[in-house]
Amino acid sequence: MTASPPPAPRPLPPSEEHPLFTLVEIMARLRDPQGGCPWDIEQTFATIAPYTIEEAYEVADAIERNDLPDLKEELGDLLLQVVFHSRMAEEQGVFSFEDVARSISDKMIRRHPHVFGDHAYDDLADQKAGWEELKAQERKAKKKGGVLDDVPAGLPALTRAVKLTKRAARVGFDWPSTDEVLAKLAEEVAELQVEIDAGDQAKAREELGDILFVCANLARKLDVEPEDALRATNAKFARRFAFIEAELAKKGRTPDQSDLAEMDALWDAAKAAERK
């Protein structure tokens, strides 16, 4: 199939009247081979994808910090990514931003028959089951019949592990409780120790992956998002280490001029300060 030529950019309308349409037109202008931005023109789906992921994380960060003004800005950056990908697709004659919006609108209506139709669910659990059944029907229509077929490979590894085990659990492949998961975690830790003692780096890497996978499974059983949990722990570590640096600075020193015993004591002091 021969791609149709890209539509010529049109004059920008007043943004206060048509903000979304204006954004679409701005991107068309940026991608215009005759006078657009050289950087924007040379981009592809593959080169923009990392920015799309980064912007999604920045949205999550703004939410984590409860910074609503920043959230507004980051959501705009994420929306720009959707418009960027849509423009590149339109240039190839595949789909447009309007098609993207229409597709998700149709999906939301289809997946909410209790809101946009006359279907009634008994309770929230019944609604969730109905949602999953609708998604299963969509996978079948796309000829993705395998239980795990449409779990995106590009997800963060911990998030994908949760989704994989959640999907498997729906067909009965799951531990009955957290007790079995914790027992498996202890087993995997012991196996990692064996490989560390043997000096086998490749097998130690594999066993460490198994441990992380079990931890993701445990997070699912506890209804905890592992990325959120680890993000909070990262922030806690950074906060406590900053305390160590500040306390050492009062003595005119830096961490590399200290030792583990002193920094460990300051770490305990940081923990104690947080409990006050």
Side-chain angles (χ1 to χ4, degrees):
M1 182 178 93
T2 302
S4 58
R10 293 163 287 181
L12 295 178
S15 60
E16 65 273 12
E17 296 180 12
H18 308 280
L20 187 54
F21 180 69
T22 299
L23 180 59
V24 171
E25 292 300 317
I26 287 172
M27 182 50 64
R29 186 78 65 85
L30 290 172
R31 291 277 299 179
D32 182 8
Q34 307 300 321
C37 172
W39 185 90
D40 290 279
I41 292 169
E42 72 177 9
Q43 300 311 307
T44 65
F45 295 118
T47 62
I48 290 299
Y51 296 101
T52 307
I53 295 169
E54 179 181 337
E55 295 300 348
Y57 276 116
E58 291 182 359
V59 167
D61 178 65
I63 293 171
E64 182 75 20
R65 293 182 284 105
N66 195 30
D67 188 336
L68 297 186
D70 194 32
L71 176 59
K72 179 185 71 173
E73 181 176 345
E74 297 301 344
L75 285 171
D77 291 343
L78 185 57
L79 177 59
L80 177 64
Q81 297 299 306
V82 177
V83 172
F84 207 143
H85 286 288
S86 298
R87 177 60 194 179
M88 290 186 289
E90 185 172 1
E91 291 167 359
Q92 296 179 25
V94 184
F95 60 80
S96 67
F97 178 81
E98 288 80 3
D99 296 324
V100 172
R102 186 177 301 110
S103 176
I104 188 60
S105 296
D106 291 345
K107 181 186 291 185
M108 288 299 97
I109 292 172
R110 185 172 64 251
R111 289 188 178 179
H112 293 82
H114 55 300
V115 176
F116 302 103
D118 55 7
H119 187 85
Y121 291 115
D122 295 333
D123 50 32
L124 185 57
D126 188 30
Q127 180 185 331
K128 288 182 178 179
W131 175 275
E132 295 302 334
E133 175 58 29
L134 288 168
K135 288 174 64 177
Q137 292 173 12
E138 291 170 5
R139 288 196 299 273
K140 186 175 181 180
K142 293 179 180 178
K143 301 188 185 304
K144 292 185 176 181
V147 173
L148 308 179
D149 281 357
D150 65 340
V151 179
L155 287 172
L158 284 175
T159 298
R160 187 165 192 258
V162 170
K163 289 185 177 295
L164 288 171
T165 59
K166 183 177 181 180
R167 191 69 66 77
R170 291 188 193 129
V171 295
F173 192 68
D174 193 16
W175 281 296
S177 71
T178 56
D179 291 342
E180 291 81 7
V181 186
L182 288 169
K184 184 63 175 178
L185 181 59
E187 176 187 326
E188 296 294 352
V189 170
E191 291 178 1
L192 173 61
Q193 187 63 60
V194 169
E195 302 306 339
I196 291 174
D197 293 342
D200 192 324
Q201 178 70 13
K203 288 186 178 179
R205 176 180 180 272
E206 181 180 346
E207 295 298 342
L208 181 58
D210 291 345
I211 288 173
L212 293 173
F213 190 85
V214 175
C215 285
N217 216 334
L218 180 60
R220 177 184 60 83
K221 298 291 282 187
L222 295 173
D223 197 23
V224 170
E225 170 53 53
E227 294 286 344
D228 289 344
L230 185 55
R231 191 179 298 114
T233 297
N234 288 343
K236 180 169 60 178
F237 180 88
R239 185 174 64 249
R240 291 177 180 176
F241 196 80
F243 178 91
I244 292 174
E245 290 179 309
E247 291 301 307
L248 289 173
K250 292 176 183 177
K251 304 175 184 178
R253 294 157 53 214
T254 58
D256 58 309
Q257 296 169 326
S258 180
D259 57 33
L260 179 58
E262 182 180 25
M263 287 190 286
D264 200 35
L266 289 172
W267 178 273
D268 289 339
K271 290 173 61 177
E274 290 178 357
R275 287 196 291 265
K276 291 181 180 179

